[in-house]
């Protein structure tokens, strides 16, 4: 038996979800990919951490489809048991001529100011002339048909997406934030708690499987309320600049060993690590989400999904713990009026 879940998906920040021409367009593949990411968190939580990767991949492959599983000498390839549909696949309506740069923000390491949207959306902003992005307020109906036995886990993943998920380019900086509003045939689950694990324990695995927590509670912070996403994005840019430059470099352009700031995210402009080179990628574990309040204003959510960097970076766990301990102190004592929230 299949169960249908149906939501109105509404973007709360511009989304750079590209098609083959790298133009913003409503598409189901990135939504499915995001659903799989948050489903993995739920799976890991139910297995009481850490989940066995092989067992998780087998369950995921059978649920979402796969072309890699084997059963003895035979392949165990299957099509997805989860069917996803959007009521439209139209192009985004936000075009270059409509894009107004946000306020400029100072950066202590450069001589000129850059607009907040350029800093937070580098590589996506400004929009190419022929391309578009999905505009704030654009909506579509998202329908999912899922096996009845798996519906609670899928619904939980959708709830996590609604609270913390973002889509598209530069989405860790808050671009592509959205909300999911249930409609007649679907509903969000009663479960209203994120997947949490003590943040230092999260460093036992090298993949994002939980939001961290410490003795004070979940590592989730909320900003003050802003009139709209634009003012909020400027504030998030200032916060990110202050956080990154809090960690000072002591070496030149090609460090012999990674410094603290390299562990926040890599690469860093003009500050490579010789053994990592310039093509290595270490995404930031600190993520931003833009939510809309009941009265139509915008509030930012900042949360930490800690995990150990891949083995290729040769991470030293005590060093990683030290860096992120300093980040947590910075956020708790920030002059940006952040406060901890539980969800």
């Amino acid at each position: 038996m299949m169960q249908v879940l149906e939501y109105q998906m509404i973007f709360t920040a511009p989304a750079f979800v590209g098609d083959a021409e790298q133009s913003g367009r409503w598409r189901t593949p990135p939504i499915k990919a995001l659903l799989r990411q948050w489903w993995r968190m739920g799976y890991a939580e139910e297995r009481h951490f850490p989940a066995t990767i092989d067992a998780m991949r087998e369950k995921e492959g059978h649920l979402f489809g796969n072309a890699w599983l084997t059963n003895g000498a035979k392949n165990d390839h299957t099509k997805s048991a989860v069917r996803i549909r959007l009521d439209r696949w139209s192009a985004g309506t936000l075009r270059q001529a409509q894009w107004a740069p946000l306020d400029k923000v100072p950066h202590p390491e450069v001589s000129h100011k850059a607009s907040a949207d350029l800093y937070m959306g580098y590589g996506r902003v400004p929009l190419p002339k022929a391309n578009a992005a999905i505009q704030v307020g654009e909506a579509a109906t998202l329908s999912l048909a899922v096996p009845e036995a798996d519906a609670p886990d899928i619904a939980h993943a959708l709830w996590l997406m609604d609270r913390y998920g973002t889509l598209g380019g530069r989405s860790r900086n808050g671009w592509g934030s959205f909300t999911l509003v249930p409609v007649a045939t679907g509903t969000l689950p009663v479960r209203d708690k994120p997947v949490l694990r003590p943040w230092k324990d999260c460093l036992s695995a090298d993949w994002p499987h939980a939001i961290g927590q410490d003795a004070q509670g979940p590592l989730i912070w909320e900003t003050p309320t802003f009139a709209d996403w634009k003012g909020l994005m400027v504030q998030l840019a200032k916060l990110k600049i202050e956080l990154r430059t809090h960690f000072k470099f002591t070496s030149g352009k090609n460090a012999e060993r990674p410094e603290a700031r390299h562990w926040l995210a890599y690469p860093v402009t003009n500050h490579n690590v010789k053994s990592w080179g310039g093509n290595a990628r270490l995404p930031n574990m600190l993520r931003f989400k833009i939510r809309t309040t009941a009265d139509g204003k915008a509030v930012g959510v900042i949360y930490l999904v800690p995990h150990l960097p891949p083995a290729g970076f040769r991470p030293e766990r005590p060093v990683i713990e030290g860096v992120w301990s300093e980040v947590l102190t910075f956020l708790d004592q920030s002059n940006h009026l952040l406060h901890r929230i539980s969800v």
Side-chain angles (χ1 to χ4, degrees):
M1 294 286 293
M2 300 292 283
Q3 183 171 340
V4 176
L5 305 174
E6 194 168 24
Y7 305 86
Q8 191 77 358
M9 185 175 190
I10 308 168
F11 278 95
T12 56
F16 310 115
V17 185
D19 57 15
E21 285 74 41
Q22 294 303 302
S23 186
R25 181 176 295 276
W26 288 88
R27 302 172 63 243
T28 57
I31 298 173
K32 185 177 182 181
L34 189 65
L35 176 64
R36 293 172 76 139
Q37 292 175 32
W38 289 101
W39 175 89
R40 290 175 197 138
M41 278 198 183
Y43 181 95
E45 180 185 39
E46 289 177 1
R47 272 57 180 185
H48 305 294
F49 305 117
T52 302
I53 298 296
D54 289 344
M56 182 183 71
R57 293 289 282 163
E58 181 176 359
K59 173 63 176 176
E60 180 182 355
H62 286 139
L63 181 58
F64 292 100
N66 82 91
W68 67 83
L69 291 175
T70 58
N71 185 2
K74 298 181 179 180
N75 71 55
D76 195 15
H77 304 171
T78 58
K79 66 180 182 180
S80 177
V82 175
R83 300 198 300 271
I84 301 179
R85 183 175 69 86
L86 285 168
D87 67 343
R88 63 189 184 93
W89 282 53
S90 53
T93 62
L94 179 58
R95 297 196 171 273
Q96 185 192 58
Q98 300 169 282
W99 191 277
L102 301 183
D103 291 345
K104 292 187 176 182
V105 290
H107 194 299
E109 296 176 349
V110 297
S111 59
H112 61 279
K113 295 182 179 181
S115 62
D117 51 316
L118 180 61
Y119 179 78
M120 297 292 277
Y122 183 76
R124 298 295 187 272
V125 178
L127 289 171
K129 184 175 294 186
N131 293 355
I134 296 177
Q135 175 68 286
V136 172
E138 285 192 57
T141 300
L142 172 67
S143 304
L144 304 95
V146 303
E148 203 166 61
D150 297 295
D153 292 336
I154 296 294
H156 185 216
L158 288 162
W159 182 86
L160 291 169
M161 285 170 58
D162 171 70
R163 300 304 293 167
Y164 307 103
T166 52
L167 273 176
R170 296 292 181 262
S171 58
R172 289 175 188 251
N173 285 347
W175 300 105
S177 294
F178 60 86
T179 186
L180 294 174
V181 180
V183 295
T185 57
T187 181
L188 294 175
V190 175
R191 298 166 67 177
D192 60 355
K193 294 182 179 180
V195 176
L196 299 173
R197 189 184 187 194
W199 76 270
K200 291 184 179 179
D201 292 349
C202 291
L203 299 179
S204 63
D206 64 358
W207 61 283
H209 60 279
I211 294 174
Q213 63 179 354
D214 62 10
Q216 298 180 55
L219 299 179
I220 308 171
W221 295 264
E222 189 175 78
T223 70
T225 301
F226 289 79
D228 56 28
W229 71 270
K230 298 176 182 179
L232 174 55
M233 188 63 77
V234 172
Q235 192 70 7
L236 292 176
K238 292 177 179 177
L239 173 66
K240 186 169 184 177
I241 290 171
E242 288 182 21
L243 173 58
R244 290 171 67 85
T245 57
H246 171 80
F247 295 90
K248 308 298 183 184
F249 284 115
T250 62
S251 57
K253 293 185 177 182
N254 287 287
E256 294 292 338
R257 291 180 52 81
E259 297 196 37
R261 187 154 148 198
H262 291 121
W263 293 115
L264 298 182
Y266 189 83
V268 183
T269 303
N270 296 324
H271 289 280
N272 284 349
V273 177
K274 280 187 178 180
S275 60
W276 294 358
N279 294 321
R281 294 291 182 270
L282 186 64
N284 202 322
M285 297 189 295
L286 198 66
R287 305 183 186 184
F288 299 160
K289 167 89 173 189
I290 294 176
R291 296 178 183 167
T292 301
T293 64
D295 57 357
K297 296 181 178 180
V299 65
V301 175
I302 302 164
Y303 63 99
L304 183 67
V305 184
H307 53 89
L308 200 66
F313 287 89
R314 295 188 289 280
E316 299 176 26
R317 186 163 170 173
V319 174
I320 306 301
E321 289 184 4
V323 170
W324 286 100
S325 291
E326 195 167 344
V327 170
L328 304 188
T329 299
F330 175 92
L331 293 172
D332 281 333
Q333 299 177 358
S334 169
N335 61 2
H336 291 270
L337 303 178
L338 304 179
H339 63 277
R340 295 267 196 126
I341 60 174
S342 61
V343 66

